[in-house]
Amino acid sequence: MKNILSPLIDACQWILEFWHDLVGGSWGWSIILLTFTVRIAILPLTFKGVKSMQRLQTLQPEIKKIQERFKDDRQRMNQEVMAFYQREKVNPLGSCLPLVLQIPFFISLFYLLRSPEFKADIAGNAAFGPIPNLAEKISGDPVLLGVLIVLYVGTQLAASAVTAFSADPTQRRIMFALPFVFTVFIINFQAGLIVYWITTNVWTIGQQLAVKKLYPKPVPAGAGDDEGDGGKPARGKPPSSPPSPSTAEADGGGGSKGRATSGGNGAAVKAPPQSPRKKKKRSGRRR
């Protein structure tokens, strides 16, 4: 079991043994607490990734403008987008870092549960609830395997739903399809790995709900152009002046009667009424 992940495998074993000595009972609880330990350890990077993702969301309108401008030259478009990222000092892959960091721990636990030495250590308390042995595959009980698969898919879909609420439709479809793709591999994993994965999905659901409260959805750049920014008129549109009192009075009166004009000092001055038209007297002669 000597490979590049040996230090991380030893670290996982130490954490499992620490929690087992502290809590006791089944090793399943130690796997759950190992999951919590890993997620707490990468929590600062997780929040940093959330800020990076929200920063990208605010820059999406500007990025779309660049993509539209250079849509006929894909190489130039990619260069301009990367230059834009550099100017804005944002890393487009920053939000993926917490997910990437979880993969080595998952692989380390995979190797640890397969090692004969660890199997011998947990032989006395390898069962966890209906699971007979956390270090073995669940192949002899299709009902139990089906329940664990349903729990895995359900929690993974829920985690994807709260994670991809602001993603574009293509990313959402990919995230919702991944749990069903991974099911092919999950059925061949040790039961302890399925417990680890279900636990990390539950943690992700709670974490994302907390993130939505702590970090509200940002407003994209340029979203306030149409409504104005802090009471300022919209960009490119002249400010509409309110009607003057004289105009309001004139409109309220209707017609030419009662028409008002504005004086030099801005006060409303009523125009003099027109003199009544005199009627002509008819002569007694008929033409």
Side-chain angles (χ1 to χ4, degrees):
M1 201 173 58
K2 293 295 182 181
N3 53 46
I4 193 172
L5 292 175
S6 292
L8 196 55
I9 294 171
D10 295 338
C12 287
Q13 183 174 358
W14 182 86
I15 295 172
L16 284 173
E17 292 176 350
F18 169 80
W19 285 119
H20 185 263
D21 294 340
L22 184 64
V23 178
S26 172
W27 284 87
W29 295 112
S30 301
I31 293 176
I32 292 174
L33 292 172
L34 167 67
T35 311
F36 291 167
T37 303
V38 171
R39 296 306 298 267
I40 291 173
I42 64 174
L43 202 56
L45 293 176
T46 300
F47 287 116
K48 186 176 180 180
V50 170
K51 292 181 180 179
S52 177
M53 182 177 62
Q54 291 190 340
R55 175 68 172 154
L56 284 175
Q57 291 175 6
T58 59
L59 297 176
Q60 278 304 311
E62 299 297 330
I63 295 174
K64 287 181 180 179
K65 290 179 182 179
I66 297 175
Q67 292 173 342
E68 184 66 23
R69 190 184 310 162
F70 301 101
K71 60 181 179 180
D72 297 329
D73 189 349
R74 193 166 187 83
Q75 182 177 0
R76 176 70 184 281
M77 180 184 69
N78 293 334
Q79 291 175 352
E80 292 294 331
V81 170
M82 294 306 298
F84 177 75
Y85 286 148
Q86 291 177 358
R87 287 196 304 270
E88 296 294 333
K89 297 179 180 180
V90 61
N91 183 7
L93 301 178
S95 59
C96 301
L97 185 58
L99 179 62
V100 173
L101 288 177
Q102 296 179 52
I103 296 176
F105 288 96
F106 182 83
I107 298 175
S108 299
L109 184 60
F110 170 77
Y111 279 113
L112 183 61
L113 291 175
R114 291 181 59 186
S115 64
E117 297 85 359
F118 188 73
K119 285 183 178 181
D121 292 339
I122 69 172
N125 295 312
F128 184 59
I131 300 173
N133 194 335
L134 291 165
E136 300 292 341
K137 302 177 184 178
I138 304 176
S139 55
D141 192 344
V143 176
L144 176 60
L145 180 60
V147 170
L148 291 177
I149 293 300
V150 169
L151 286 174
Y152 157 71
V153 173
T155 55
Q156 185 70 46
L157 289 175
S160 300
V162 297
T163 303
F165 68 96
S166 59
D168 60 83
T170 302
Q171 290 178 337
R172 289 176 65 89
R173 285 193 292 267
I174 293 175
M175 294 186 72
F176 285 128
L178 285 178
F180 300 98
V181 175
F182 287 153
T183 301
V184 181
F185 305 98
I186 284 289
I187 59 178
N188 294 315
F189 286 158
Q190 293 93 340
L193 284 174
I194 303 178
V195 172
Y196 178 90
W197 208 323
I198 293 173
T199 305
T200 197
N201 288 340
V202 173
W203 176 281
T204 300
I205 295 170
Q207 175 182 280
Q208 290 304 120
L209 292 176
V211 164
K212 289 175 68 175
K213 290 186 176 182
L214 295 174
Y215 300 96
K217 187 177 180 180
V219 178
D225 289 348
D226 295 335
E227 300 177 357
D229 185 9
K232 296 180 182 179
R235 189 182 303 171
K237 296 182 181 180
S240 58
S241 58
S244 62
S246 60
T247 308
E249 292 178 7
D251 292 343
S256 61
K257 294 181 180 181
R259 182 176 300 169
T261 58
S262 177
N265 58 354
V269 179
K270 291 185 178 180
Q274 295 181 357
S275 60
R277 186 178 297 177
K278 296 182 179 180
K279 295 183 179 180
K280 294 181 180 181
K281 295 182 179 180
R282 293 184 179 182
S283 61
R285 295 180 181 180
R286 292 184 180 179
R287 293 181 181 179

